[in-house]
Amino acid sequence: DGGITQSPKYLFRKEGQNVTLSCEQNLNHDAMYWYRQDPGQGLRLIYYSQIVNDFQKGDIAEGYSVSREKKESFPLTVTSAQKNPTAFYLCASSTPSRRGQGNSGNTIYFGEGSWLTVV
Amino acid sequence: AQSVAQPEDQVNVAEGNPLTVKCTYSVSGNPYLFWYVQYPNRGLQFLLKYITGDNLVKGSYGFEAEFNKSQTSFHLKKPSALVSDSALYFCAVDKRTGKLIFGQGTTLQVKP
């Protein structure tokens, strides 16, 4: 089946610990995204990547890091510098871009999300 | 400045009645507009989008949305609500950057 797979579904982090959330897609999508969801705040963009080996910071990148070594994979590391990491994290990807138009207007599809809790 | 506003935290409607979930945007130019739905503990599912053309957009599960440029609105509608439509709905804007900016979300409760 084609889709976006996030793992693990639930993750617990101790104080001072780095953790990595996995995101894999087999949709042949060029662009991938990480969003954070907090109650009452909608979704906020952490990082995004439009092509392999390239990524840009979103609105709330502090305390997070990413890599894009393969088209299919876009892991997110939540570092100890992120002081309030407890949230629902959503990975997404978008359809291949039309030449010269980037990814604008393309539908963004989401994975099932990962819950991260600090213990 | 907030780019997307969903003025209602919750909308309650009886099953079989029409429903409307409101969305207004405040971006310049001609943005692209999206609606997504989220069920508890799940990811977001795409419902529909407006890119250009006809102001009335039809999407999944019988939902539709009307783009109104003069009022900068993109309200989500359905003629007859189902209990299974109860979920969290997000409006989003793409300012032609390929990135989505989301509203706060509106919880829809459909009662039998």
Side-chain angles (χ1 to χ4, degrees), chain A residues 22-68:
Chain A
S22 170
C23 179
E24 303 278 332
Q25 54 97 0
N26 60 4
L27 301 169
N28 195 35
H29 287 177
D30 292 316
M32 296 187 74
Y33 310 80
W34 274 104
Y35 283 88
R36 170 178 170 144
Q37 184 176 15
D38 296 280
Q41 295 193 45
L43 279 71
R44 293 180 290 170
L45 182 64
I46 304 172
Y47 268 98
Y48 66 102
S49 167
Q50 294 185 328
I51 56 173
V52 175
N53 292 322
D54 186 49
F55 49 83
Q56 287 81 39
K57 293 181 179 180
D59 301 317
I60 55 165
E62 185 175 352
Y64 299 98
S65 66
V66 293
S67 63
R68 187 85 187 276

Side-chain angles (χ1 to χ4, degrees), chain A residues 48-115:
Chain A
Y48 66 102
S49 167
Q50 294 185 328
I51 56 173
V52 175
N53 292 322
D54 186 49
F55 49 83
Q56 287 81 39
K57 293 181 179 180
D59 301 317
I60 55 165
E62 185 175 352
Y64 299 98
S65 66
V66 293
S67 63
R68 187 85 187 276
E69 297 177 0
K70 299 186 300 181
K71 187 176 185 177
E72 302 80 13
S73 179
F74 191 43
L76 173 73
T77 296
V78 184
T79 75
S80 57
Q82 172 48 242
K83 298 306 179 186
N84 185 25
T86 295
F88 191 49
Y89 290 86
L90 289 156
C91 179
S93 67
S94 65
T95 52
S97 61
R98 290 176 290 178
R99 181 169 297 179
Q101 297 192 30
N103 288 297
S104 180
N106 293 327
T107 300
I108 294 179
Y109 296 94
F110 286 81
E112 288 296 300
S114 293
W115 283 102

Side-chain angles (χ1 to χ4, degrees), chain B residues 25-103:
Chain B
Y25 63 93
S26 56
V27 300
S28 58
N30 298 308
Y32 302 132
L33 299 159
F34 296 77
W35 275 102
Y36 286 83
V37 61
Q38 185 180 34
Y39 295 96
N41 205 30
R42 303 291 298 276
L44 274 65
Q45 295 179 29
F46 169 73
L47 283 178
L48 50 81
K49 67 181 179 182
Y50 175 81
I51 302 298
T52 187
D54 193 348
N55 289 343
L56 184 63
V57 179
K58 294 188 181 297
S60 305
Y61 313 118
F63 284 94
E64 58 189 28
E66 186 167 11
F67 172 65
N68 188 318
K69 187 171 184 178
S70 63
Q71 297 184 4
T72 62
S73 67
F74 190 55
H75 301 331
L76 181 71
K77 299 181 179 183
K78 187 173 182 180
S80 179
L82 300 173
V83 173
S84 58
D85 292 331
S86 299
L88 182 59
Y89 290 81
F90 287 101
C91 181
V93 167
D94 175 354
K95 296 192 285 187
R96 302 204 172 208
T97 62
K99 298 177 291 180
L100 289 179
I101 302 170
F102 285 87

